[in-house]
Amino acid sequence: MPYTGHVTPGGPADVRELPDLVVSKLSVGPMDNNVYLLRCRATGAQLLIDAAAEPEALIGLIGASGLAAVVTTHAHRDHWQALADVVRATGARTHAGRLDAPALPVPTDVLVDDGDEIAFGACRLTARHLTGHTPGSVALRYDDPEGHPHLFTGDCLFPGGIGNTRNDPAAFASLLHDVETKLFAPLPDETWVYPGHGADTTLGAERPALPAWRERGW
């Protein structure tokens, strides 16, 4: 079946087959959190983005291949409630943005800064630090060698707008600036966006709305 990016809590994962990477998207928990399991085709090494909830489901998704790393996009509780259980079961190394890591329930093995690379097998992600939703949120960029880039944006970018900045004008300005300069400016319209909740989108689908987002202030 073709990948759609539409998943529901309790439902199956939606799987996207890229030349060098397999992306499995699963929805878990009462807040419909998206979890992404990335598997390197060349080596079988796997990386999990946001161990949000339902550790049994996540461990089942990971399977017998094991887990090299888990990356937490930001420190909000709904994105890490299964983190301790997943790390205990798999021994995965933990990664998180430097400024958000102290709020997580397990020690962070690798503190992530803007531009850092996270390798698993032959695949690599590049972290972009985006400030506003939380101080240390990170988005993760995968450059498909045979196609367009892919972005895992946590709660910083969704279809229809940037993440919640709690009616704080300074936080909104910061997040919109970072999303515009670090994601929209350098990347093409075809860039696929995998958010922390809900459906996927592309930068091209969202780019025309940037002035409206700025005007409305959220």
Side-chain angles (χ1 to χ4, degrees), residues 33-104:
N33 282 77
N34 294 328
V35 174
Y36 299 95
L37 181 69
L38 280 54
R39 177 169 58 84
C40 171
R41 286 187 180 274
T43 66
Q46 297 190 125
L47 177 146
L48 187 73
I49 299 174
D50 284 346
E54 301 180 31
E56 298 85 358
L58 301 189
I59 292 167
L61 181 68
I62 293 163
S65 297
L67 189 66
V70 55
V71 183
T72 304
T73 60
H74 64 289
H76 286 165
R77 180 179 175 83
D78 60 307
H79 288 260
W80 53 253
Q81 291 179 81
L83 181 60
D85 288 333
V86 167
V87 170
R88 189 180 304 114
T90 64
R93 285 174 61 78
T94 55
H95 300 64
R98 182 178 298 274
L99 297 179
D100 276 17
L104 300 181

Side-chain angles (χ1 to χ4, degrees), residues 141-180:
R141 169 180 169 179
Y142 170 69
D143 290 313
D144 183 354
E146 299 184 26
H148 50 70
H150 297 254
L151 281 173
F152 300 87
T153 57
D155 282 0
C156 287
L157 179 62
F158 297 97
I162 61 173
N164 185 1
T165 53
R166 300 162 298 282
N167 297 315
D168 180 338
F172 171 79
S174 175
L175 183 55
L176 185 62
H177 173 269
D178 283 358
V179 164
E180 286 189 293

Side-chain angles (χ1 to χ4, degrees), residues 24 32 66 89 94 125 147 195 199 207:
S24 296
D32 189 12
T94 55
L125 303 174
R207 195 184 303 274

